[in-house]
Amino acid sequence: MNKKSVWFGLTIAALASLSAAAPLNVTLKGNLHNLYSDLTLPATSDDGAKLTWESSDPTFLTHSGEIAARLVNQKKTVTLTAKSGNDSKAFEVTLHEYEPYTNYLFIYFPANNNENIYYAISKDGYNFTAMNGGNRVIAADSVSIKKGLRDPHILRAPDGMFYMVHTDMKSAEGWSSNRGMVLMKSKDLIHWTHSTVHFPDKYKGKNFANVTRVWAPETIWDKDYENTDGTKGRLMIYFSLLTNDGTIPYDKVYYLYANDDFTDVIGEPTYFFDRGSATIDMDIVYNENDSLYHAFFKNEGEGGICKTTAKKLTAPKGQEGSQWSKPSGTLQQTKEAVEGAGVFKLINQDSWILMYDCYNNGHYQFTSSQDLSTFKFVQDTKTAGAFTPRHGTVMPITAVETAALLKAFPTSDFDGETIKEPAELGKTADGETIVEPCARTAVIPYVKIHNGEWSESTDLTVNIGDSLVIGPHPWDGKVWSWSGPKDFKANTREVKFTNMDWTYSGYYNVVYTNETGCKTTTKFKVVVDDPSHPFVEPKDTVKVDTAQTDTSTIAIKNITRNSFVTNLSIKRVMYYNTNGKLLPGKPQQAGVYIRKELMDNGLVKMTVIRSGKYMKN
């Protein structure tokens, strides 16, 4: 071979290699490292190439980008690959874990002349009922030096224990009478151990002994703290300090770390943050979406709640406070005087609540945010009667914890409602629990034709000129979204039609979104009986075949059987072995399996597959 042919051969090989390695130009929108909701997968690349998609684990994330299942209390990472010819591009997608909580617990003190600890409970995170008949659950005179507990903050730590810190103060002695804080620990939210940190004794001979305020302490888990045994992670306690010796001339935020059993603190306070003048009531949360710590605080000068952010909780020695960003403007959605910001994430939702005490106006105000930067007013919750919270915090609790609290602190005026939990689908090989992506709310299809009575039906035939009312339940203020023939759209629960003709015939779809953001879709088939314009079934309607349904008992937890489902689309298909273990896909070997079909309205159909039959997708 001559030099020219060798050069030509190498060039062809090099070009082929470059072509094979060419990256696929495609972008995927969504928070891929903490995914809460289904992805919309593009059909073409950014430069127009037709795409197909493949999931590495369709049990959790389907090939079309829908979240099919979640792990309880643990994230799940799946690779989603876009393909076009020989080119491909892989995206690592991490699904947000299912949070096994059903209610919200509000911990607070009620008044300056009643500095004890109270509980309130809620299903939605906005409307709370005082527990224990409106009586205290922790008596201040039994745990604090000053016989007063203010500004309670509670945290569920990685060890599963609950930690609560308080301002040890009685306001009747003046706003500069506080000398320390109270530390409390519990495994059940009912029985607490306690200890006090009294700065004049703890730091005798040092400037920290001269404190006049150790205000509004809070805890947060510092995952980067290095322990002496080489492990990482420890509870940080942060608070506002003021001394009377001029060394801390205005309220500044400092921090300490708790000892192993949460009975004392380690070392001396370290400077954390201030805005150049009095800075109090700091509340810090970590947002997985942007990987930032968001610290909310009261800005006395601007009269409201401001915020600063940091990538890490602490700064290197000698650079204390440098980790924080420039503070934001005020974030509250009112011109009223506010304090005591409390921030918490809604259960299983990519949404946050910022609440604060409108202390001169008799209510708490609740706002919501998707990004912890822009907040929208939701409601003012009146503080009256048994529910008069001052500077408290809200934490999610489980159904078991809810039941135990209601038993220990009877709450007769609470209806006992909890956020519904999704059905369990099975276990992983490691024994981790797999659940449906969310807990759908059953929609009851109430309808009324002309002047008739209300009935439950999704298959309706009406006469020409009739009226029709569709008013499904539940009867609440959650989100309803309708679509149907003649470009019909509505966002009300109840919809009405009058003087109907054949053009009203067709399927009316309603999507109900409950308090966790979980959607339930229901279809209403409406046929106007007009012989000259007979109804024609749409081509995309699927009628489920039940001919091979086996009547034997199937021992899979939380799965219901529907003997016959008609005119519903199959949203998802899953397969199990006879022991109830969820399989990664359609079984390829002959044997006995269980096929579970999820319909688009939340109904379920079970089929026993024998000898590999009935294996269509």
Side-chain angles (χ1 to χ4, degrees), residues 2 32 40 69 72 92 109-110 141 146 232 251 254 261 272 307 325 353 368 406 431 465 483 504 532 541 573 598:
N2 59 37
L32 302 186
T40 300
V72 176
E92 191 173 85
F109 79 100
D141 58 10
K146 289 287 187 176
K232 281 193 172 185
D251 304 89
Y254 282 71
D261 57 6
F272 205 26
K307 185 194 73 167
S325 68
I353 300 301
S368 67
L406 290 172
S483 62
Y504 286 84
S532 60
T541 302
V573 175
L598 297 181

Side-chain angles (χ1 to χ4, degrees), residues 30-36 75 96 223 284-296 307-312 324-325 345 350 352 369-375:
N31 198 343
L32 302 186
H33 72 280
N34 189 35
L35 190 68
Y36 279 83
K75 297 186 185 302
H96 187 81
K223 59 183 176 60
I284 305 174
V285 294
Y286 182 73
N287 186 6
E288 293 181 89
N289 287 349
D290 57 19
S291 301
L292 291 175
Y293 292 95
H294 295 249
F296 296 78
K307 185 194 73 167
T308 181
T309 60
K311 292 183 179 179
K312 288 192 173 183
W324 297 106
S325 68
K345 194 182 75 65
D350 195 8
W352 295 81
S369 175
Q370 300 295 316
D371 57 9
L372 287 176
S373 294
T374 304
F375 292 86

Side-chain angles (χ1 to χ4, degrees), residues 171-467:
S171 60
E173 297 179 9
W175 297 113
S176 294
S177 62
N178 166 224
R179 300 292 181 267
M181 53 191 175
V182 178
L183 312 184
M184 300 180 68
K185 182 178 180 179
S186 174
K187 64 179 180 180
D188 60 8
L189 297 168
I190 299 168
H191 306 93
W192 294 88
T193 60
H194 66 273
S195 61
T196 59
V197 180
H198 190 57
F199 278 51
D201 294 333
K202 179 77 175 177
Y203 301 109
K204 190 173 182 178
K206 300 179 180 179
N207 72 313
F208 298 119
N210 302 317
V211 294
T212 58
R213 296 177 188 170
V214 186
W215 271 5
E218 296 199 5
T219 55
I220 189 170
W221 183 256
D222 184 354
K223 59 183 176 60
D224 296 318
Y225 182 91
E226 296 184 3
N227 297 294
T228 55
D229 62 359
T231 61
K232 281 193 172 185
R234 184 168 289 272
L235 282 170
M236 171 193 281
I237 307 173
Y238 56 95
F239 42 84
S240 295
L241 281 187
L242 176 68
T243 64
N244 60 12
D245 62 1
T247 58
I248 305 177
Y250 56 87
D251 304 89
K252 298 183 180 183
V253 185
Y254 282 71
Y255 69 89
L256 286 160
Y257 287 96
N259 64 358
D260 289 344
D261 57 6
F262 206 67
T263 58
D264 203 353
V265 292
I266 302 169
E268 297 182 4
T270 300
Y271 172 72
F272 205 26
F273 173 80
D274 77 270
R275 62 183 185 87
S277 57
T279 305
I280 63 172
D281 296 353
M282 180 171 277
D283 185 30
I284 305 174
V285 294
Y286 182 73
N287 186 6
E288 293 181 89
N289 287 349
D290 57 19
S291 301
L292 291 175
Y293 292 95
H294 295 249
F296 296 78
F297 59 90
K298 183 181 180 182
N299 184 324
E300 294 278 13
E302 294 189 21
I305 307 299
C306 296
K307 185 194 73 167
T308 181
T309 60
K311 292 183 179 179
K312 288 192 173 183
L313 272 178
T314 59
K317 189 174 182 180
Q319 301 177 38
E320 290 82 1
S322 63
Q323 69 270 38
W324 297 106
S325 68
K326 181 181 178 180
S328 69
T330 54
L331 301 172
Q332 74 275 10
Q333 302 300 301
T334 179
K335 294 182 179 179
E336 300 169 325
V338 300
E339 65 181 12
V343 185
F344 61 96
K345 194 182 75 65
L346 288 174
I347 299 168
N348 288 309
Q349 296 185 63
D350 195 8
S351 182
W352 295 81
I353 300 301
L354 166 62
M355 66 178 192
Y356 35 80
D357 183 2
C358 300
Y359 55 92
N360 287 331
N361 299 82
H363 61 257
Y364 246 85
Q365 186 167 100
F366 289 80
T367 65
S368 67
S369 175
Q370 300 295 316
D371 57 9
L372 287 176
S373 294
T374 304
F375 292 86
K376 180 181 179 182
F377 170 80
V378 177
Q379 72 177 49
D380 289 330
T381 299
K382 187 178 181 181
T383 56
F387 182 64
T388 58
R390 298 295 310 278
H391 196 154
T393 51
V394 172
M395 179 188 70
I397 55 177
T398 66
V400 172
E401 291 160 355
T402 297
L405 285 169
L406 290 172
K407 182 177 180 180
F409 308 114
T411 308
S412 59
D413 48 351
F414 178 63
D415 58 15
E417 281 193 296
T418 62
I419 296 172
K420 292 180 176 62
E421 299 179 89
E424 183 177 315
L425 297 176
K427 302 283 186 181
T428 67
D430 298 327
E432 298 159 344
T433 302
I434 307 171
V435 297
E436 290 186 347
C438 58
R440 286 182 287 270
T441 300
V443 172
I444 304 172
Y446 286 111
V447 296
K448 182 167 68 171
I449 299 174
H450 209 52
N451 296 320
E453 299 294 326
W454 287 100
S455 63
E456 295 183 32
S457 178
T458 57
D459 196 340
L460 310 169
T461 300
V462 302
N463 295 320
I464 297 173
D466 273 354
S467 60

Side-chain angles (χ1 to χ4, degrees), residues 108-112 114-118 388-390:
Y108 61 94
F109 79 100
N112 289 336
N114 184 1
E115 292 157 319
N116 298 282
I117 301 305
Y118 287 66
T388 58
R390 298 295 310 278

